[in-house]
Amino acid sequence: MITLVHFQTCLSEFAEKFDKFASKYDHTIQHSSELEAVINDYSRFVTNQENKAAWEQLEHSELEELDSLVWQLRNKSAQCVAIMEKYRALKLENGDVQIADYFKNIEECIDKEFGSFHVTSDSRVLLVGSGSFPMTPLLIAKRTGAQVVGIDIDEESITLGRKVVETLGTGLKIRLESTLLENLDYTREATHIIFSSTVAPKYELLDQLHALTNTQVVVAMRYGDQLKSLFNYPMRATDSNKWKLVDTILRPDDVFDIALYQKA
């Protein structure tokens, strides 16, 4: 079993690496292989059941610096995932379609995103935090024929994402927009909404969505608790007058779990 000291050392080393590679991004693929290796290692780290005991000890610690480290890891890993998506999009422009372990893991998660709330060709899906390599819109639109809209506040991500869709999603009903939920008419039409796990204010946005969506909408909130919270923003309580948790899809071998919400 991994010791708590070794566990903390690993966390500090990952934080340093994420900080290093986040600062090195220069809109080229120069450091893509190095960052990909770190992300893949981190994905395995947070899904390794042998690390659970060390995490539980850490969770009960009252050291403020550890809380700061965990928060730093969530933010920096989210930033680096966004950068790695940009690397993948840039590589695709050069004809490289190789898929990293992290992306394979994400694609496996997508298959059971909505549990019993199936997406069909008549569904209208909205993804919040679509990123530069919009795997979720591509897979959903290809497998179901549904209309999918992805939004992201990062202009470069939208520009790169549109090029990916042009290359891999010919004929699919996918649209990517750099806009806010409240400015998107499609928000009221959506039957299914997905929040990326690396969207920090997702629960604030969920609260905001109550007034912007139809009564039948289903929201899939990607999250990570316990050990997985090192790589995801965790689940939070919702206003019981607005949203009810109707299901959780736990996937021990995947980097995030899924909480499903409907209007109360």
Side-chain angles (χ1 to χ4, degrees):
M1 182 181 72
I2 187 172
T3 66
L4 183 57
V5 172
H6 179 58
F7 185 83
Q8 291 176 237
T9 300
C10 289
L11 295 186
S12 297
E13 290 176 350
F14 276 122
E16 290 174 5
K17 290 176 182 178
F18 287 140
D19 195 49
K20 169 185 173 183
F21 287 112
S23 66
K24 282 190 172 185
Y25 178 64
D26 60 358
H27 310 281
T28 72
I29 62 171
Q30 183 177 0
H31 302 288
S32 61
S33 297
E34 296 166 284
L35 179 58
E36 180 179 303
V38 174
I39 292 288
N40 287 342
D41 285 345
Y42 198 56
S43 299
R44 289 189 286 268
F45 184 85
V46 301
T47 56
N48 185 346
Q49 297 301 305
E50 293 182 2
N51 292 330
K52 287 186 68 176
W55 165 256
E56 288 169 0
Q57 292 182 60
L58 180 67
E59 217 176 9
H60 292 101
S61 170
E62 296 181 359
L63 297 177
E64 290 184 5
E65 60 267 27
L66 291 180
D67 289 337
S68 175
L69 177 58
V70 169
W71 184 251
Q72 180 186 358
L73 280 163
R74 286 176 191 155
N75 289 330
K76 285 297 182 180
S77 62
Q79 184 180 359
C80 285
V81 165
I83 292 170
M84 191 166 75
E85 287 194 11
K86 291 178 180 181
Y87 285 144
R88 188 181 180 189
L90 291 167
K91 285 182 177 182
L92 183 65
E93 288 184 22
N94 297 326
D96 184 352
V97 295
Q98 187 176 8
I99 301 178
D101 290 348
Y102 170 80
F103 288 115
K104 291 177 183 176
N105 188 289
I106 295 296
E107 289 172 357
E108 290 169 1
C109 294
I110 291 170
D111 283 335
K112 296 184 178 179
E113 189 87 53
F114 285 100
S116 61
F117 297 93
H118 299 296
V119 175
T120 70
S121 59
D122 295 325
S123 300
R124 291 175 174 266
V125 183
L126 172 60
L127 174 62
V128 182
S130 52
S132 303
F133 204 99
M135 295 176 293
T136 299
L138 286 165
L139 287 170
I140 289 177
K142 184 176 181 179
R143 293 177 184 178
T144 68
Q147 180 177 340
V148 188
V149 173
I151 63 171
D152 204 294
I153 59 173
D154 186 326
E155 292 279 0
E156 184 183 18
S157 291
I158 293 296
T159 299
L160 290 171
R162 286 172 177 166
K163 292 179 181 178
V164 171
V165 171
E166 287 175 9
T167 302
L168 301 179
T170 303
L172 299 179
K173 294 183 286 187
I174 299 173
R175 188 171 92 244
L176 303 179
E177 301 287 346
S178 178
T179 188
L180 300 175
L181 285 168
E182 62 265 31
N183 297 331
L184 185 71
D185 290 340
Y186 186 83
T187 302
R188 298 188 181 277
E189 304 172 18
T191 59
H192 299 72
I193 298 176
I194 304 170
F195 277 93
S196 294
S197 64
T198 53
V199 174
K202 55 192 175 187
Y203 277 94
E204 289 81 3
L205 293 173
L206 178 64
D207 188 74
Q208 178 186 355
L209 271 177
H210 188 267
L212 301 174
T213 50
N214 64 74
T215 57
Q216 301 302 315
V217 68
V218 179
V219 178
M221 184 75 76
R222 296 173 177 174
Y223 75 97
D225 281 347
Q226 300 171 340
L227 184 62
K228 292 184 184 181
S229 70
L230 291 169
F231 203 7
N232 302 273
Y233 295 95
M235 183 189 291
R236 283 168 43 186
T238 60
D239 184 339
S240 60
N241 293 316
K242 293 183 177 181
W243 296 100
K244 60 180 179 180
L245 178 66
V246 293
D247 197 7
T248 53
I249 301 171
L250 302 178
R251 300 180 59 79
D253 297 327
D254 297 329
V255 291
F256 61 74
D257 298 314
I258 301 161
L260 295 178
Y261 297 94
Q262 284 189 300
K263 286 190 173 180

